Amino acid sequence: ATLSLDYSSGAAGFLQIVMIYAAIFQQRGSIMLIDEPDAHLHIVLQERLYRDLRDRARRHGWQLIIATHSERVIGEARPEVLRLLSDGLHQIKQSRRLVDTLHLDNVDLVMARQLGRILYVEGKTDLEILRAWTDVLKHRLGRFLEEPFWKPMAQHAWKARRHFAALRLSVPEVRGVELRDRNDKKEATAVDSNQEGMQEMVWRQYEIENYLIHPAAIIRWLESWGDEAAVDRAEMHMQRFFPPAIYDDPFGADYFKNTKGKDVLGKVCDAARLRIDEVDYCGIAAGMRRDEIHPEVVATLDAMAEHLAIPDDGSEVASA
């Protein structure tokens, strides 16, 4: 007996292969254009399919042009035959750089083209602190931070650099700043070199929260969280454990340079017997006065605005 199967009931990967080879065997031309031949296929089959198509093209003298989003296919191809189609056709010499572009979504590309700028920071809390400082200072960077294009990946520097490199392949004019914490590194320069269009910046103190350690600003912030007794407990803790000089000259020395700022603030909150999440520390920045914001913060905001080409004449932020 002959078993008859309905062709249309085949799996998507099977149908994909059948359609490709049916077209190849029926119409052999000098140029073959194939869109997403790897669709619906297992990653191992993606490689095998590409190798077979490549070998057939070589044997028959065809020119093979494939559109793909498959990392496996890109990895199998020789770097010299790879091209990126984005506002034109661009040759990419390294397959890894082309693979990185696959991880960009449409929002990334649209935001990069519209704003021409991107900011990489540790996370949303860092962004909120920066935004609060720019509000207090009426700083020009604040116009970008109102609706910024940003990514929370500065804790892994290589991710920021690779993301920006991939973004710049599609949007060559985009400019970026990566601002990250120094963390447990003993020393760090304020600004490090990076690839073209990207400025890598590192806080001199342990992390961004260290710049919130200003006794007067902390007390003013705690007054909105607790009663007078809670504030008194916090103040007693600071007077006992903070260096006395910090009250007379808050910026005179890096009093907590190698200490995690969130831990310092957390102990103040514990002493006050208040349960306050770390994400709420940005409220300290929002309540600061201009003269309570550390000079290093002001210099960093200035450097960021300069590199991102934020206009200082009150005009709208536009693509650089």
Side-chain angles (χ1 to χ4, degrees), residues 48-65:
R48 290 179 58 185
L49 174 61
Y50 171 74
R51 288 197 299 268
D52 183 70
L53 293 174
R54 178 196 60 196
D55 294 343
R56 289 178 182 274
R58 286 174 179 171
R59 287 197 303 269
H60 296 286
W62 303 334
Q63 181 182 14
L64 183 62
I65 301 176

Side-chain angles (χ1 to χ4, degrees), residues 176-187:
V177 166
E178 178 194 4
L179 179 61
R180 67 177 189 272
D181 295 337
R182 176 171 61 84
N183 294 326
D184 57 357
K185 296 178 181 178
K186 295 302 180 183
E187 296 294 336

Side-chain angles (χ1 to χ4, degrees), residues 70-215:
S70 168
E71 296 185 23
R72 294 294 181 138
V73 171
I74 294 173
E76 278 292 311
R78 301 192 317 276
E80 59 267 25
V81 304
L82 295 173
R83 299 292 187 274
L84 171 67
L85 181 60
S86 178
D87 290 336
L89 204 58
H90 311 279
Q91 183 174 9
I92 308 299
K93 296 181 180 179
Q94 295 179 330
S95 59
R96 181 188 62 78
R97 294 185 64 196
L98 189 57
V99 168
D100 285 344
T101 65
L102 300 178
H103 300 289
L104 299 176
D105 56 35
N106 289 334
V107 173
D108 285 346
L109 297 175
V110 169
M111 292 290 285
R113 291 191 177 104
Q114 287 184 348
L115 298 181
R117 304 167 175 87
I118 182 170
L119 173 64
Y120 301 94
V121 290
E122 304 278 348
K124 183 66 177 296
T125 301
D126 294 56
L127 182 66
E128 295 296 338
I129 293 174
L130 291 172
R131 184 180 286 140
W133 280 329
T134 60
D135 286 345
V136 173
L137 296 168
K138 305 299 184 223
H139 198 281
R140 56 179 168 143
L141 183 65
R143 296 199 298 278
F144 169 69
L145 296 183
E146 287 177 2
E147 296 183 8
F149 177 28
W150 72 285
K151 291 288 182 179
M153 52 178 62
Q155 66 270 35
H156 303 292
W158 68 269
K159 288 187 177 180
R161 288 194 291 268
R162 286 179 61 176
H163 182 272
F164 182 77
L167 198 63
R168 201 169 171 85
L169 288 176
S170 298
V171 189
E173 69 276 12
V174 69
R175 304 175 69 85
V177 166
E178 178 194 4
L179 179 61
R180 67 177 189 272
D181 295 337
R182 176 171 61 84
N183 294 326
D184 57 357
K185 296 178 181 178
K186 295 302 180 183
E187 296 294 336
T189 57
V191 178
D192 296 329
S193 60
N194 209 336
Q195 69 258 48
E196 183 180 359
M198 177 80 144
Q199 192 74 58
E200 180 181 319
M201 309 179 74
V202 183
W203 291 113
R204 290 186 182 276
Q205 298 196 33
Y206 193 98
E207 60 185 1
I208 191 173
E209 284 81 4
N210 284 60
Y211 298 94
L212 302 177
I213 304 175
H214 188 292

